[in-house]
Every structure is written in structure tokens, then in C-alpha cells.
Amino acid sequence: MRTLYTTFIIGIILSFSQIEARDITQHQLDSLYAELKEAPYPNDSMMVLYNIFDASPRQQQKKLARSIYSIAKRTNNLEVQLDILRNLGNIYLGNDSAQSLIISEVEKLPAGPEQKETLMFLRLLKVTTNSLMATPDQRYKYMGEALNKYKNRNDNMTALNQLELLYTLCVYLDATAQGDLLEKYMKESEEKIDKLPFGLYAFQNMFYAHSALMYTRNQDHEKAVEADRKLLGIMDNLERDYNKQGRVFKDFDRNRYICYRRMLYNYPALSTGEVEDIMKRIWYLVSCNAELREDFKGRPFAETFYYMAKKDYIKAKPMLVTLLDSDLGGNEYLRPRLSEMLCSAAEATGDKELYIKALKNHVDILKQYAELKSQNRYRELQIIYEMDNLTRENERLEEETAKAELNHQKLLLVGVVVIGAILLLVTLLMFRMYRKARKLSKGLYKTNLALEKERNALINSERQLIEARDKANSISKMKSDFLDNMTHEVLEPLNAISGYTQLIVDSLGSDLQKRLEKYVKIVEMNCELLKTVVTDAISLSSLSKDSLSIVRQRVSLNQICNDALSSIEYAPKPGVEVCFLKEGADDIIVDTDPTRVQQVLANLLHNGAKFTEIGNVTLDYELNDKANIISFTVTDTGSGIPAGKEDVIFERFEKVDSRSQGLGLGLSIARQIARLLGGDVVLDRNYHAGSRFIFTLPLK
């Protein structure tokens, strides 16, 4: 996670940097300084200073930027002042105090569209700095705060401020959980950007640099290429504007080189002609600049992707081996794809020895990648769970407020009724008095109006309560739809991975089949682990909304037990034996839901296998005719349950070992399903050689 996040920061920095991509000679700088001395007025020297700024090394640009800003301030050139302050924000990226001073300076300038966009751009640079410098716990805290602010934003907030709040959320999400939530909010950001009439390219540049990197990391080739095309379009527009102004030393060759190289990586989204055109552009840029030539030769990413796109596997193969044996640094996210390319190249060239070695390495990389994706998914689920709790708490507070308001209105209505009764009594007493009859009539008219207003207020309150209820139901449906969609989107690819892995092995010779059988089991085991995570999440959702169905039928007890044992075939560690003590015993027919009983037993068996390093996991049951119940026991010789955790382990998301696999839902779901069936799941506190769980189930 840290490597990927650092990669994002580096990508953003490169998108903004004033890097002299073409070689600038000392003679050219000397000529510019001579031209500066001959400038008679401050305005005449402005463009010369800009050219010196563009042509100078980065370490000298701080002093030059301050000089340009001083002249612009004296001549009231607001456009140059804002431009230099944006450049200083980039130069001081990572320096929180310096960026705060720059933001304060922008706030003092006259308000306008460019001033507001500059202020937003600098504040987002500061957010980037904060997320880069913060600890993982701090970033997670900042992300939660940003998500809460965005979800509870004021509808009257300007579109620019909403975009700033949304992109802040994206920065912290990228630093904590790089998953579907990040992609969702990045897409929402792009929609808002398209609707705003931006006068500056700075924020668009920042956003599309982030988007291109994110889509490349997720191997969404078409979207990544589209983002890079937009980045190149922005560079073309900026370069055209700078040339019109006379800033001839301002160029974007390094930034273009990075975009072209990334587009070649995403070559599945390019045509053959586009691949050739992009490679020609890279060769041209490399021929013009020594720094780019050094990068091009030292890390042959561009040529490797180019040869893979052309299916010239003979040339691509040695480059892939070199890259995979080197430290990829900020490009570490490329390793799974590079490994996959090497497997394809080795297979295409008939290099069986390299193919087997590459395939083994690829499996190890995919395992690490799957663990990382699992961690990201866990963080996302945790974020969604916490936000659901927060939403429910807000709804509860709103409901309590509405109830209090309703009680107040009822009391007010009672008061009005009492006053009306008193007025009526006074009217009866004063009926005989002619002169006061008119006044009494007017009083009654006003009272009727007040009662009508109170009635209307009660109707509005009732309507608001109905809207709040409908909103809560809508949110619950959205959560259910998300989890149902996640089941399809995750289980289908997992089944495909498992099936095609077995097909690959089956298509090889018997010798290779034996050697690869281990890796097939690893893939199938990890697929089963991910299926368990998704199944637990779906079961949790169904239990939360009371929609888990129970279908009772007469079934074989031994069959249920054997099916539960089969479902954890890959869970036990080497040296751990899973056994069924009633194997071969007389069968018992029970009236229950076999699917739910099997789910409870599978969760308990999987829990025992997960925490048992050596020994056995045992399933048994006893029939109690007198009490009309069956008691299942799942006993293991594992690490056991720590003192004080006997009740906590049945709560949601609670794990005895935070480093263990799973979401901490298995025991909670098992107990809830058992209670729906009329039974229960408890821990045997008298057993100390590991852990033993008792699952009671009524016979009828």
C-alpha cells in the first residue's frame, strides 16, 4: 500500500514539475541574463525572467519565482502573481508550513475565478502533503473525516467547493483503500470537472495524472489511455499558450515521455498504428535529451511494452527478465503484469525452462497481489460498515428530533385547545353583552387561523417523517444491491480463475501436472478463502435485513456432516487431520434446513482449521431424545480462546488474531443462523486443549 501510494505522489509531482527536458546551455542562460540587464522597465523584464525561470535548474527557481512575484506585485499584475504562487506551491510540495504561507498570500489577493481556482489547487496540494507525511492511522482518520464531510455536505455549497471536498476524499482513499470506492469517487470527480468552466489547467492536470495512474494500476487500459490523452491535450494547449506569450524555454518533454510510456503499457487499448506512432514520439524525445536517454536505456519499460505489443517476444523476453530482476522502485505496481508478459513471451518462444520458472514466480506475485487486494477490500468493507453505523446514528438523532418537535407541537395544540375552551366559556358568559360580541367574534376568527396553521404544521411534520423513512429504506436497498453485485463480480472471476488454472494443468504433460499440482491447490485455496469472505458479507447483509430464508426438509444428518467437511477441503494446514467421529454410524433423519446447518458447521470447522497448526479438528454429534435436540461439537487442538474473549468472539468483525485471514464474521453468522433454526452456538469453557464449539439443533 505504501509503495502504491508513493507512486501516486511521484506521478502527481512529475505532472507539475518544471523540468528542463531539453538541454539548456550556459551560453543561452548568459544571453537571457544579458537581455534582462537591458530591459528598461519592470514589465519589459517580466518575460525575460520567465524564460530564465523555465531554463534554470529547479534549485534556483525559488529565488527567481520570488523576484518575478515581487515585480508582479509592484505592477499589480494579478495573473502573474497567481501563476507564480501556483509554481511555488509545486516547488514547496511536502513543506506544510511553506504551503500554508502561500495559501495565505492567495487569500489576500482580489477575489475572482482564477483566484478561487488557484486557492483550491493550492489547498489540494497541501492535502497531498498532509497525506504523504501522515502515519497510516492518521490517513485513515483523515479519510473518515473527509468521507463524513462529503456525505453530509451542504446543498448550498458551490460546485467548486464540492469538487475540492470530493477530490480531498479521493486523495485519502488512494492512501488507505485503493478499490471500488476510490474509482467511484474519481468518476464522480470527473463528471463534476466536465461541468465546470475551468480557466486553469492546473487542477485538470493534477486530476488526470491521478486518474491515468489509478486506471493503469487497475489494468483498465481504455480508461488509462483516455486519461493520458487528455493529459497530452492539456500539455499541447499549455505549450501553445506559452509560445504565444514568448516563453520559448517552457516545455513538457519529460511529462510527454511519461504519458507515452504509460500508454504503451496499456497497449491492449491501442491500435497497431497508434503503437508505432507513440514509439516514434518516444524515440524522438529520447534523441533530444540526455536525461531521457539515460532513463530509456537504464529502465527499458517503453521498448519492452512496444515489443510485447508487436508480439516480438524474442526481443521482449530478455528485457522482461532484466526488469523483473531489478528494483522497480516507484513502478512496483507493474510487477504482476511484467511477470504475466514474461510467461507469455517464454511460452511463445518455446523456452520451457524459463516458462516454468516465470510461471512459478508469477503465482507467487499473484498470491501477494491477491493478499493486497483482500486487504484493500477489507478496508473498504470496514469503511462502508462504519459509514452505515454513522448514517444510522444520524437517522436516529433526526428521528428523535422529529419526535421531540412533534411532542412540542402536541403540547402547543393542547394549549391552543385549552385556550379555545376558555375563549368559548368567555363567549358564553359574555354572550349577552352586545358591544363585546364583535370583539369576541374576531378573537374566534384568529383562533381558527392559528389552529389551521398548527394543522398544516402537523401535516408537514408527518410528510418529513415519511421522507426520512423512505430515505433510510433506499439506503438499505443500495447496500443490499451493492453486496449482491459484489457477489457476482467477485465469485464469477474466482470460479473462472480456479477452473482455468485446472484446465491449464490438465492440458500439460503428466510430469508437469505433478509439479504444478501444488500451485493449483494454492490458487484453489485462495479462491475458497475469498469466496468465504464474500459469502460471510452476503450472509451478514441478509441477517441484518431479516431476509435470510429457512427452508426445512427431511435430510440425512451424516450427509450434512460430510458435505460440511468437503467444503473445507483446502483449509487445514499440513499435519492437521480433519475427522468425523460418526463416520459409518447409523444415519439419523432430521427435519431442518440442510443448507443453513451445513453453513454453520462449515464456519465452525473452518474456524478450527484456521487456528490449528498441528493436531486435528474433529466433528461429532450426540442425540438427546429426551430433550429432542442434537448437539454437534467441533473440537480442535489449536491455540484456543484467550481469557476474557469467550463472549467477544461472537460479535461482528471481532478476531482473536488481527493478522489472521477473514473478516471476523464466521462465528457471529454461525450463531445468528443457529438461533434462526431454533438452536444456538456456544463455546465449551471447560475444554482447554484448544477450543470446542457446541451447536445445538432441535430435531423438529
Side-chain angles (χ1 to χ4, degrees), residues 269-304:
L270 301 173
S271 66
T272 303
E274 288 173 327
V275 169
E276 293 291 346
D277 180 64
I278 290 172
M279 196 62 204
K280 288 178 182 178
R281 293 173 185 268
I282 290 177
W283 280 330
Y284 172 75
L285 292 173
V286 169
S287 69
C288 297
N289 181 264
E291 185 182 355
L292 295 183
R293 281 196 298 276
E294 182 181 351
D295 180 83
F296 183 78
K297 293 178 180 178
R299 299 190 302 171
F301 288 111
E303 279 192 304
T304 303

Side-chain angles (χ1 to χ4, degrees), residues 394-501:
N394 289 337
E395 290 173 353
R396 185 186 64 79
L397 292 175
E398 289 176 2
E399 185 178 356
E400 289 180 356
T401 303
K403 287 181 179 179
E405 183 67 23
L406 185 60
N407 289 334
H408 174 72
Q409 291 173 355
K410 287 181 179 179
L411 290 174
L412 187 60
L413 181 61
V414 170
V416 171
V417 171
V418 171
I419 293 172
I422 293 173
L423 288 174
L424 181 61
L425 180 61
V426 172
T427 301
L428 292 173
L429 291 174
M430 303 299 292
F431 181 73
R432 295 177 183 180
M433 300 178 65
Y434 176 78
R435 291 183 179 181
K436 296 183 180 180
R438 284 186 173 181
K439 295 181 180 179
L440 182 59
S441 177
K442 291 180 180 180
L444 287 172
Y445 176 74
K446 291 179 180 179
T447 301
N448 288 335
L449 288 177
L451 288 171
E452 185 175 356
K453 289 180 180 179
E454 293 300 327
R455 184 196 65 188
N456 292 335
L458 287 171
I459 292 173
N460 288 334
S461 297
E462 182 181 4
R463 178 176 54 79
Q464 291 172 2
L465 287 171
I466 292 172
E467 290 176 355
R469 181 202 63 196
D470 293 342
K471 183 178 179 181
N473 291 338
S474 176
I475 292 172
S476 177
K477 184 178 183 300
M478 287 173 64
K479 180 184 75 173
S480 299
D481 291 344
F482 168 76
L483 289 172
D484 292 340
N485 184 56
M486 185 183 72
T487 303
H488 174 75
E489 294 297 328
V490 175
L491 291 182
E492 287 295 327
L494 286 177
N495 289 331
I497 290 170
S498 179
Y500 279 106
T501 301

Side-chain angles (χ1 to χ4, degrees), residues 180-197:
D180 294 339
L181 277 180
L182 174 60
E183 188 167 345
K184 170 191 172 185
Y185 287 121
M186 285 293 289
K187 184 177 180 181
E188 192 172 333
S189 299
E190 186 171 5
E191 291 173 354
K192 290 184 181 293
I193 289 172
D194 292 340
K195 293 178 182 178
L196 288 175

Side-chain angles (χ1 to χ4, degrees), residues 194-259:
D194 292 340
K195 293 178 182 178
L196 288 175
F198 272 102
L200 298 177
Y201 291 113
F203 178 75
Q204 291 170 298
N205 197 356
M206 176 193 290
F207 173 79
Y208 287 116
H210 188 176
S211 296
L213 193 62
M214 181 190 71
Y215 289 130
T216 298
R217 188 173 57 217
N218 293 340
Q219 297 197 35
D220 193 336
H221 305 299
E222 292 185 359
K223 290 183 180 178
V225 168
E226 182 63 25
D228 273 320
R229 285 190 176 125
K230 291 182 179 179
L231 268 177
L232 291 169
I234 292 171
M235 293 178 205
D236 291 340
N237 292 335
L238 281 171
E239 193 166 48
R240 188 164 47 250
D241 292 345
Y242 286 142
N243 287 334
K244 288 180 181 178
Q245 297 169 14
R247 292 178 65 176
V248 295
F249 291 97
K250 178 72 174 178
D251 70 78
F252 301 88
D253 288 356
R254 170 167 285 276
N255 294 6
R256 285 193 176 99
Y257 172 77
I258 292 170
C259 286

Side-chain angles (χ1 to χ4, degrees), residues 412-682:
L412 187 60
L413 181 61
V414 170
V416 171
V417 171
V418 171
I419 293 172
I422 293 173
L423 288 174
L424 181 61
L425 180 61
V426 172
T427 301
L428 292 173
L429 291 174
M430 303 299 292
F431 181 73
R432 295 177 183 180
M433 300 178 65
Y434 176 78
R435 291 183 179 181
K436 296 183 180 180
R438 284 186 173 181
K439 295 181 180 179
L440 182 59
S441 177
K442 291 180 180 180
L444 287 172
Y445 176 74
K446 291 179 180 179
T447 301
N448 288 335
L449 288 177
L451 288 171
E452 185 175 356
K453 289 180 180 179
E454 293 300 327
R455 184 196 65 188
N456 292 335
L458 287 171
I459 292 173
N460 288 334
S461 297
E462 182 181 4
R463 178 176 54 79
Q464 291 172 2
L465 287 171
I466 292 172
E467 290 176 355
R469 181 202 63 196
D470 293 342
K471 183 178 179 181
N473 291 338
S474 176
I475 292 172
S476 177
K477 184 178 183 300
M478 287 173 64
K479 180 184 75 173
S480 299
D481 291 344
F482 168 76
L483 289 172
D484 292 340
N485 184 56
M486 185 183 72
T487 303
H488 174 75
E489 294 297 328
V490 175
L491 291 182
E492 287 295 327
L494 286 177
N495 289 331
I497 290 170
S498 179
Y500 279 106
T501 301
Q502 187 62 54
L503 283 175
I504 290 171
V505 175
D506 291 341
S507 65
L508 300 174
S510 58
D511 292 338
L512 285 177
Q513 285 183 355
K514 292 179 181 179
R515 295 172 63 183
L516 295 179
E517 191 64 27
K518 171 185 175 183
Y519 305 112
V520 173
K521 290 184 178 180
I522 291 174
V523 171
E524 292 179 347
M525 180 181 68
N526 280 276
C527 288
E528 289 299 324
L529 288 174
L530 289 176
K531 286 180 184 178
T532 301
V533 171
V534 174
T535 302
D536 285 349
I538 298 306
S539 298
L540 177 63
S541 173
S542 300
L543 289 166
S544 298
K545 61 184 181 181
D546 296 327
S547 63
L548 191 70
S549 61
I550 301 297
V551 180
R552 299 183 183 276
Q553 55 184 290
R554 294 182 63 77
V555 293
S556 163
L557 196 60
N558 286 347
Q559 183 64 43
I560 292 175
C561 293
N562 286 322
D563 289 344
L565 289 166
S566 298
S567 67
I568 65 156
E569 179 181 356
Y570 297 103
K573 299 177 179 62
V576 177
E577 181 183 3
V578 179
C579 55
F580 176 35
L581 296 184
K582 288 294 189 296
E583 186 71 35
D586 293 339
D587 203 359
I588 298 175
I589 303 301
V590 295
D591 185 14
T592 187
D593 187 331
T595 301
R596 301 306 174 195
V597 174
Q598 180 184 337
Q599 186 176 0
V600 174
L601 292 176
N603 278 0
L604 295 178
L605 288 165
H606 189 276
N607 186 73
K610 181 166 60 175
F611 294 102
T612 303
E613 298 293 336
I614 188 168
N616 54 69
V617 180
T618 304
L619 171 63
D620 195 7
Y621 66 82
E622 293 293 336
L623 178 64
N624 189 335
D625 291 324
K626 185 176 181 181
N628 199 33
I629 63 171
I630 295 174
S631 297
F632 297 89
T633 58
V634 176
T635 308
D636 63 67
T637 59
S639 55
I641 306 301
K645 292 280 188 175
E646 292 87 349
D647 296 320
V648 176
I649 57 173
F650 289 100
E651 296 178 5
R652 294 178 180 178
F653 301 109
E654 284 294 335
K655 301 168 70 175
V656 173
D657 184 356
S658 60
R659 296 168 298 179
S660 63
Q661 295 171 337
L663 301 177
L665 295 174
L667 292 177
S668 175
I669 291 172
R671 171 172 277 186
Q672 292 184 65
I673 293 175
R675 290 178 175 177
L676 282 176
L677 294 168
D680 202 355
V681 173
V682 297

Side-chain angles (χ1 to χ4, degrees), residues 58-333:
R58 190 172 180 82
Q59 59 269 22
Q60 297 178 16
Q61 289 182 341
K62 292 181 183 179
K63 184 177 179 181
L64 289 168
R66 287 193 287 268
S67 298
I68 297 173
Y69 185 75
S70 178
I71 295 173
K73 195 172 184 179
R74 290 202 305 270
T75 57
N76 292 320
N77 192 330
L78 181 61
E79 183 178 353
V80 173
Q81 285 178 266
L82 291 171
D83 179 60
I84 290 299
L85 288 171
R86 290 193 295 272
N87 276 280
L88 284 171
N90 286 323
I91 291 171
Y92 284 103
L93 187 68
N95 188 329
D96 183 72
S97 57
Q99 287 181 326
S100 296
L101 291 174
I102 295 169
I103 291 172
S104 299
E105 190 69 22
V106 175
E107 290 173 340
K108 297 175 185 176
L109 297 176
E114 187 174 355
Q115 186 261 359
K116 291 179 180 177
E117 291 180 28
T118 299
L119 199 57
M120 182 187 77
F121 171 73
L122 291 171
R123 281 199 290 254
L124 289 175
L125 280 182
K126 189 179 179 188
V127 168
T128 301
T129 295
N130 290 340
S131 62
L132 179 62
M133 300 302 174
T135 64
D137 289 341
Q138 289 174 329
R139 282 197 291 269
Y140 189 82
K141 175 186 175 185
Y142 296 153
M143 182 279 303
E145 293 172 352
L147 184 58
N148 188 34
K149 286 181 182 178
Y150 184 68
K151 282 188 171 292
N152 296 289
R153 64 189 181 279
N154 192 332
D155 292 335
N156 297 325
M157 185 183 293
T158 65
L160 199 63
N161 288 337
Q162 287 189 37
L163 181 58
E164 179 182 348
L165 197 60
L166 179 58
Y167 192 72
T168 298
L169 172 59
C170 290
V171 171
Y172 286 124
L173 272 174
D174 192 82
T176 52
Q178 300 165 348
D180 294 339
L181 277 180
L182 174 60
E183 188 167 345
K184 170 191 172 185
Y185 287 121
M186 285 293 289
K187 184 177 180 181
E188 192 172 333
S189 299
E190 186 171 5
E191 291 173 354
K192 290 184 181 293
I193 289 172
D194 292 340
K195 293 178 182 178
L196 288 175
F198 272 102
L200 298 177
Y201 291 113
F203 178 75
Q204 291 170 298
N205 197 356
M206 176 193 290
F207 173 79
Y208 287 116
H210 188 176
S211 296
L213 193 62
M214 181 190 71
Y215 289 130
T216 298
R217 188 173 57 217
N218 293 340
Q219 297 197 35
D220 193 336
H221 305 299
E222 292 185 359
K223 290 183 180 178
V225 168
E226 182 63 25
D228 273 320
R229 285 190 176 125
K230 291 182 179 179
L231 268 177
L232 291 169
I234 292 171
M235 293 178 205
D236 291 340
N237 292 335
L238 281 171
E239 193 166 48
R240 188 164 47 250
D241 292 345
Y242 286 142
N243 287 334
K244 288 180 181 178
Q245 297 169 14
R247 292 178 65 176
V248 295
F249 291 97
K250 178 72 174 178
D251 70 78
F252 301 88
D253 288 356
R254 170 167 285 276
N255 294 6
R256 285 193 176 99
Y257 172 77
I258 292 170
C259 286
Y260 290 145
R261 187 177 65 187
R262 188 164 51 221
M263 290 173 77
L264 280 181
Y265 171 82
N266 293 292
Y267 65 81
L270 301 173
S271 66
T272 303
E274 288 173 327
V275 169
E276 293 291 346
D277 180 64
I278 290 172
M279 196 62 204
K280 288 178 182 178
R281 293 173 185 268
I282 290 177
W283 280 330
Y284 172 75
L285 292 173
V286 169
S287 69
C288 297
N289 181 264
E291 185 182 355
L292 295 183
R293 281 196 298 276
E294 182 181 351
D295 180 83
F296 183 78
K297 293 178 180 178
R299 299 190 302 171
F301 288 111
E303 279 192 304
T304 303
F305 303 147
Y306 171 66
Y307 289 130
M308 286 300 298
K310 290 184 64 177
K311 298 183 179 179
D312 192 343
Y313 300 117
I314 294 177
K315 292 182 180 179
K317 187 169 63 174
M319 294 181 178
L320 286 166
V321 172
T322 300
L323 286 173
L324 284 169
D325 288 341
S326 65
D327 181 8
L328 299 180
N331 298 298
E332 190 62 33
Y333 68 95

